[in-house]
Structure formats: structure tokens, C-alpha cells
Amino acid sequence: MADKGKMDQAKGKAKEAVGKVADNDRMKAEGKMDQAKGKAKEAMSDAAERGRDAKDSMRDKDR
């Protein structure tokens, strides 16, 4: 499930690199924002997965 944010992070790194080469501050900032968005998506996905795992383990204890 952690793949959800990886694409945004990769896109952000590429955009930031192009911004550095082109000396474009806006593109560098957009790249950093894309990376942050990807990390947030990844964290949300991981938290949801941990929640499902906890729910499943509680269900197993009731049996």
C-alpha cells in the first residue's frame, strides 16, 4: 500500500531537479510540494493499513 505516494515523490524529485538545472524557483518549490504530498499519501495509507490490521487482530481475539 505504500506505493500510493511513491509516484508523487518521484515526480517531485524530478521536478525539483529540473528546477535546479533551469534555475527556476517555482519549479523547485512545486517539486518539494509534490514530494510532501507523496509522503503524506504514503503516511495515510500506512495508517489505514495499521488500522485494518488492528481491527483484524481484535476480531481474531474474540474467537
PDB file of all heavy atoms in Angstrom, residues 30-52:
ATOM      1  N   GLU A  30       7.470  23.608  -6.471  1.00  0.00           N
ATOM      2  CA  GLU A  30       6.432  22.648  -6.848  1.00  0.00           C
ATOM      3  C   GLU A  30       6.924  21.219  -6.628  1.00  0.00           C
ATOM      4  O   GLU A  30       6.163  20.353  -6.177  1.00  0.00           O
ATOM      5  CB  GLU A  30       6.029  22.839  -8.307  1.00  0.00           C
ATOM      6  CG  GLU A  30       5.177  24.056  -8.553  1.00  0.00           C
ATOM      7  CD  GLU A  30       4.840  24.238 -10.031  1.00  0.00           C
ATOM      8  OE1 GLU A  30       5.121  23.331 -10.845  1.00  0.00           O
ATOM      9  OE2 GLU A  30       4.275  25.296 -10.365  1.00  0.00           O
ATOM     10  N   GLY A  31       8.192  20.975  -6.950  1.00  0.00           N
ATOM     11  CA  GLY A  31       8.758  19.651  -6.732  1.00  0.00           C
ATOM     12  C   GLY A  31       8.766  19.269  -5.262  1.00  0.00           C
ATOM     13  O   GLY A  31       8.419  18.141  -4.900  1.00  0.00           O
ATOM     14  N   LYS A  32       9.116  20.213  -4.418  1.00  0.00           N
ATOM     15  CA  LYS A  32       9.116  19.940  -2.980  1.00  0.00           C
ATOM     16  C   LYS A  32       7.694  19.687  -2.478  1.00  0.00           C
ATOM     17  O   LYS A  32       7.474  18.833  -1.621  1.00  0.00           O
ATOM     18  CB  LYS A  32       9.766  21.091  -2.218  1.00  0.00           C
ATOM     19  CG  LYS A  32      11.261  21.142  -2.423  1.00  0.00           C
ATOM     20  CD  LYS A  32      11.905  22.276  -1.661  1.00  0.00           C
ATOM     21  CE  LYS A  32      13.396  22.289  -1.903  1.00  0.00           C
ATOM     22  NZ  LYS A  32      14.097  23.299  -1.132  1.00  0.00           N
ATOM     23  N   MET A  33       6.738  20.434  -3.026  1.00  0.00           N
ATOM     24  CA  MET A  33       5.336  20.235  -2.624  1.00  0.00           C
ATOM     25  C   MET A  33       4.838  18.856  -3.072  1.00  0.00           C
ATOM     26  O   MET A  33       4.131  18.175  -2.324  1.00  0.00           O
ATOM     27  CB  MET A  33       4.443  21.323  -3.209  1.00  0.00           C
ATOM     28  CG  MET A  33       4.621  22.669  -2.564  1.00  0.00           C
ATOM     29  SD  MET A  33       4.197  22.690  -0.817  1.00  0.00           S
ATOM     30  CE  MET A  33       2.453  22.390  -0.906  1.00  0.00           C
ATOM     31  N   ASP A  34       5.195  18.443  -4.278  1.00  0.00           N
ATOM     32  CA  ASP A  34       4.805  17.113  -4.755  1.00  0.00           C
ATOM     33  C   ASP A  34       5.397  16.024  -3.872  1.00  0.00           C
ATOM     34  O   ASP A  34       4.721  15.034  -3.555  1.00  0.00           O
ATOM     35  CB  ASP A  34       5.260  16.904  -6.201  1.00  0.00           C
ATOM     36  CG  ASP A  34       4.432  17.686  -7.214  1.00  0.00           C
ATOM     37  OD1 ASP A  34       3.328  18.140  -6.859  1.00  0.00           O
ATOM     38  OD2 ASP A  34       4.895  17.834  -8.364  1.00  0.00           O
ATOM     39  N   GLN A  35       6.638  16.209  -3.456  1.00  0.00           N
ATOM     40  CA  GLN A  35       7.264  15.231  -2.572  1.00  0.00           C
ATOM     41  C   GLN A  35       6.539  15.164  -1.228  1.00  0.00           C
ATOM     42  O   GLN A  35       6.285  14.076  -0.696  1.00  0.00           O
ATOM     43  CB  GLN A  35       8.732  15.578  -2.350  1.00  0.00           C
ATOM     44  CG  GLN A  35       9.585  15.357  -3.579  1.00  0.00           C
ATOM     45  CD  GLN A  35      11.021  15.737  -3.351  1.00  0.00           C
ATOM     46  OE1 GLN A  35      11.680  15.164  -2.475  1.00  0.00           O
ATOM     47  NE2 GLN A  35      11.516  16.699  -4.113  1.00  0.00           N
ATOM     48  N   ALA A  36       6.188  16.311  -0.691  1.00  0.00           N
ATOM     49  CA  ALA A  36       5.473  16.354   0.589  1.00  0.00           C
ATOM     50  C   ALA A  36       4.101  15.702   0.450  1.00  0.00           C
ATOM     51  O   ALA A  36       3.670  14.962   1.345  1.00  0.00           O
ATOM     52  CB  ALA A  36       5.332  17.794   1.069  1.00  0.00           C
ATOM     53  N   LYS A  37       3.429  15.968  -0.662  1.00  0.00           N
ATOM     54  CA  LYS A  37       2.118  15.355  -0.909  1.00  0.00           C
ATOM     55  C   LYS A  37       2.250  13.835  -0.978  1.00  0.00           C
ATOM     56  O   LYS A  37       1.436  13.104  -0.410  1.00  0.00           O
ATOM     57  CB  LYS A  37       1.537  15.906  -2.217  1.00  0.00           C
ATOM     58  CG  LYS A  37       0.156  15.408  -2.537  1.00  0.00           C
ATOM     59  CD  LYS A  37      -0.446  16.170  -3.707  1.00  0.00           C
ATOM     60  CE  LYS A  37      -0.070  15.529  -5.013  1.00  0.00           C
ATOM     61  NZ  LYS A  37      -0.787  16.095  -6.163  1.00  0.00           N
ATOM     62  N   GLY A  38       3.291  13.365  -1.644  1.00  0.00           N
ATOM     63  CA  GLY A  38       3.519  11.923  -1.740  1.00  0.00           C
ATOM     64  C   GLY A  38       3.798  11.295  -0.391  1.00  0.00           C
ATOM     65  O   GLY A  38       3.289  10.218  -0.081  1.00  0.00           O
ATOM     66  N   LYS A  39       4.587  11.973   0.421  1.00  0.00           N
ATOM     67  CA  LYS A  39       4.878  11.453   1.762  1.00  0.00           C
ATOM     68  C   LYS A  39       3.620  11.414   2.621  1.00  0.00           C
ATOM     69  O   LYS A  39       3.406  10.480   3.395  1.00  0.00           O
ATOM     70  CB  LYS A  39       5.962  12.291   2.431  1.00  0.00           C
ATOM     71  CG  LYS A  39       7.334  12.068   1.841  1.00  0.00           C
ATOM     72  CD  LYS A  39       8.380  12.946   2.485  1.00  0.00           C
ATOM     73  CE  LYS A  39       9.730  12.759   1.797  1.00  0.00           C
ATOM     74  NZ  LYS A  39      10.758  13.633   2.358  1.00  0.00           N
ATOM     75  N   ALA A  40       2.765  12.421   2.470  1.00  0.00           N
ATOM     76  CA  ALA A  40       1.512  12.455   3.233  1.00  0.00           C
ATOM     77  C   ALA A  40       0.591  11.314   2.798  1.00  0.00           C
ATOM     78  O   ALA A  40      -0.016  10.647   3.639  1.00  0.00           O
ATOM     79  CB  ALA A  40       0.821  13.797   3.054  1.00  0.00           C
ATOM     80  N   LYS A  41       0.492  11.089   1.487  1.00  0.00           N
ATOM     81  CA  LYS A  41      -0.331   9.980   0.987  1.00  0.00           C
ATOM     82  C   LYS A  41       0.181   8.648   1.513  1.00  0.00           C
ATOM     83  O   LYS A  41      -0.601   7.779   1.901  1.00  0.00           O
ATOM     84  CB  LYS A  41      -0.310   9.941  -0.543  1.00  0.00           C
ATOM     85  CG  LYS A  41      -1.210  10.917  -1.214  1.00  0.00           C
ATOM     86  CD  LYS A  41      -1.160  10.698  -2.721  1.00  0.00           C
ATOM     87  CE  LYS A  41      -1.999  11.680  -3.481  1.00  0.00           C
ATOM     88  NZ  LYS A  41      -1.908  11.460  -4.938  1.00  0.00           N
ATOM     89  N   GLU A  42       1.491   8.509   1.511  1.00  0.00           N
ATOM     90  CA  GLU A  42       2.098   7.273   1.989  1.00  0.00           C
ATOM     91  C   GLU A  42       1.806   7.065   3.478  1.00  0.00           C
ATOM     92  O   GLU A  42       1.457   5.968   3.913  1.00  0.00           O
ATOM     93  CB  GLU A  42       3.601   7.326   1.735  1.00  0.00           C
ATOM     94  CG  GLU A  42       4.296   6.018   1.873  1.00  0.00           C
ATOM     95  CD  GLU A  42       5.741   6.077   1.427  1.00  0.00           C
ATOM     96  OE1 GLU A  42       6.293   7.183   1.236  1.00  0.00           O
ATOM     97  OE2 GLU A  42       6.333   5.006   1.278  1.00  0.00           O
ATOM     98  N   ALA A  43       1.909   8.120   4.259  1.00  0.00           N
ATOM     99  CA  ALA A  43       1.642   8.038   5.694  1.00  0.00           C
ATOM    100  C   ALA A  43       0.174   7.686   5.960  1.00  0.00           C
ATOM    101  O   ALA A  43      -0.122   6.869   6.834  1.00  0.00           O
ATOM    102  CB  ALA A  43       1.999   9.350   6.380  1.00  0.00           C
ATOM    103  N   MET A  44      -0.719   8.297   5.190  1.00  0.00           N
ATOM    104  CA  MET A  44      -2.154   7.997   5.360  1.00  0.00           C
ATOM    105  C   MET A  44      -2.449   6.542   4.997  1.00  0.00           C
ATOM    106  O   MET A  44      -3.216   5.867   5.677  1.00  0.00           O
ATOM    107  CB  MET A  44      -3.006   8.934   4.501  1.00  0.00           C
ATOM    108  CG  MET A  44      -3.024  10.359   4.980  1.00  0.00           C
ATOM    109  SD  MET A  44      -3.774  10.536   6.611  1.00  0.00           S
ATOM    110  CE  MET A  44      -5.461  10.120   6.225  1.00  0.00           C
ATOM    111  N   SER A  45      -1.848   6.062   3.946  1.00  0.00           N
ATOM    112  CA  SER A  45      -2.040   4.684   3.529  1.00  0.00           C
ATOM    113  C   SER A  45      -1.514   3.718   4.587  1.00  0.00           C
ATOM    114  O   SER A  45      -2.169   2.729   4.919  1.00  0.00           O
ATOM    115  CB  SER A  45      -1.331   4.443   2.197  1.00  0.00           C
ATOM    116  OG  SER A  45      -1.435   3.100   1.806  1.00  0.00           O
ATOM    117  N   ASP A  46      -0.340   4.023   5.131  1.00  0.00           N
ATOM    118  CA  ASP A  46       0.241   3.178   6.178  1.00  0.00           C
ATOM    119  C   ASP A  46      -0.635   3.179   7.433  1.00  0.00           C
ATOM    120  O   ASP A  46      -0.839   2.134   8.053  1.00  0.00           O
ATOM    121  CB  ASP A  46       1.651   3.649   6.531  1.00  0.00           C
ATOM    122  CG  ASP A  46       2.662   3.373   5.422  1.00  0.00           C
ATOM    123  OD1 ASP A  46       2.350   2.578   4.508  1.00  0.00           O
ATOM    124  OD2 ASP A  46       3.754   3.967   5.479  1.00  0.00           O
ATOM    125  N   ALA A  47      -1.158   4.337   7.795  1.00  0.00           N
ATOM    126  CA  ALA A  47      -2.016   4.428   8.985  1.00  0.00           C
ATOM    127  C   ALA A  47      -3.301   3.637   8.784  1.00  0.00           C
ATOM    128  O   ALA A  47      -3.758   2.941   9.691  1.00  0.00           O
ATOM    129  CB  ALA A  47      -2.328   5.886   9.295  1.00  0.00           C
ATOM    130  N   ALA A  48      -3.869   3.730   7.594  1.00  0.00           N
ATOM    131  CA  ALA A  48      -5.097   2.978   7.308  1.00  0.00           C
ATOM    132  C   ALA A  48      -4.830   1.478   7.366  1.00  0.00           C
ATOM    133  O   ALA A  48      -5.637   0.716   7.902  1.00  0.00           O
ATOM    134  CB  ALA A  48      -5.646   3.368   5.938  1.00  0.00           C
ATOM    135  N   GLU A  49      -3.693   1.074   6.848  1.00  0.00           N
ATOM    136  CA  GLU A  49      -3.343  -0.345   6.878  1.00  0.00           C
ATOM    137  C   GLU A  49      -3.142  -0.835   8.311  1.00  0.00           C
ATOM    138  O   GLU A  49      -3.607  -1.908   8.679  1.00  0.00           O
ATOM    139  CB  GLU A  49      -2.076  -0.591   6.056  1.00  0.00           C
ATOM    140  CG  GLU A  49      -1.763  -2.046   5.848  1.00  0.00           C
ATOM    141  CD  GLU A  49      -0.626  -2.261   4.869  1.00  0.00           C
ATOM    142  OE1 GLU A  49      -0.283  -1.327   4.122  1.00  0.00           O
ATOM    143  OE2 GLU A  49      -0.088  -3.372   4.862  1.00  0.00           O
ATOM    144  N   ARG A  50      -2.475  -0.021   9.122  1.00  0.00           N
ATOM    145  CA  ARG A  50      -2.298  -0.389  10.540  1.00  0.00           C
ATOM    146  C   ARG A  50      -3.652  -0.474  11.245  1.00  0.00           C
ATOM    147  O   ARG A  50      -3.863  -1.341  12.099  1.00  0.00           O
ATOM    148  CB  ARG A  50      -1.391   0.606  11.250  1.00  0.00           C
ATOM    149  CG  ARG A  50       0.075   0.409  10.927  1.00  0.00           C
ATOM    150  CD  ARG A  50       0.986   1.172  11.876  1.00  0.00           C
ATOM    151  NE  ARG A  50       0.712   2.606  11.902  1.00  0.00           N
ATOM    152  CZ  ARG A  50       1.233   3.496  11.071  1.00  0.00           C
ATOM    153  NH1 ARG A  50       2.060   3.108  10.134  1.00  0.00           N
ATOM    154  NH2 ARG A  50       0.931   4.771  11.164  1.00  0.00           N
ATOM    155  N   GLY A  51      -4.571   0.413  10.900  1.00  0.00           N
ATOM    156  CA  GLY A  51      -5.911   0.372  11.485  1.00  0.00           C
ATOM    157  C   GLY A  51      -6.646  -0.906  11.121  1.00  0.00           C
ATOM    158  O   GLY A  51      -7.296  -1.528  11.962  1.00  0.00           O
ATOM    159  N   ARG A  52      -6.541  -1.289   9.854  1.00  0.00           N
ATOM    160  CA  ARG A  52      -7.183  -2.539   9.424  1.00  0.00           C
ATOM    161  C   ARG A  52      -6.553  -3.730  10.137  1.00  0.00           C
ATOM    162  O   ARG A  52      -7.259  -4.655  10.551  1.00  0.00           O
ATOM    163  CB  ARG A  52      -7.067  -2.705   7.913  1.00  0.00           C
ATOM    164  CG  ARG A  52      -8.012  -1.818   7.127  1.00  0.00           C
ATOM    165  CD  ARG A  52      -8.030  -2.166   5.644  1.00  0.00           C
ATOM    166  NE  ARG A  52      -6.737  -1.983   4.994  1.00  0.00           N
ATOM    167  CZ  ARG A  52      -6.286  -0.852   4.495  1.00  0.00           C
ATOM    168  NH1 ARG A  52      -7.033   0.234   4.559  1.00  0.00           N
ATOM    169  NH2 ARG A  52      -5.105  -0.794   3.909  1.00  0.00           N
TER     170      ARG A  52
END
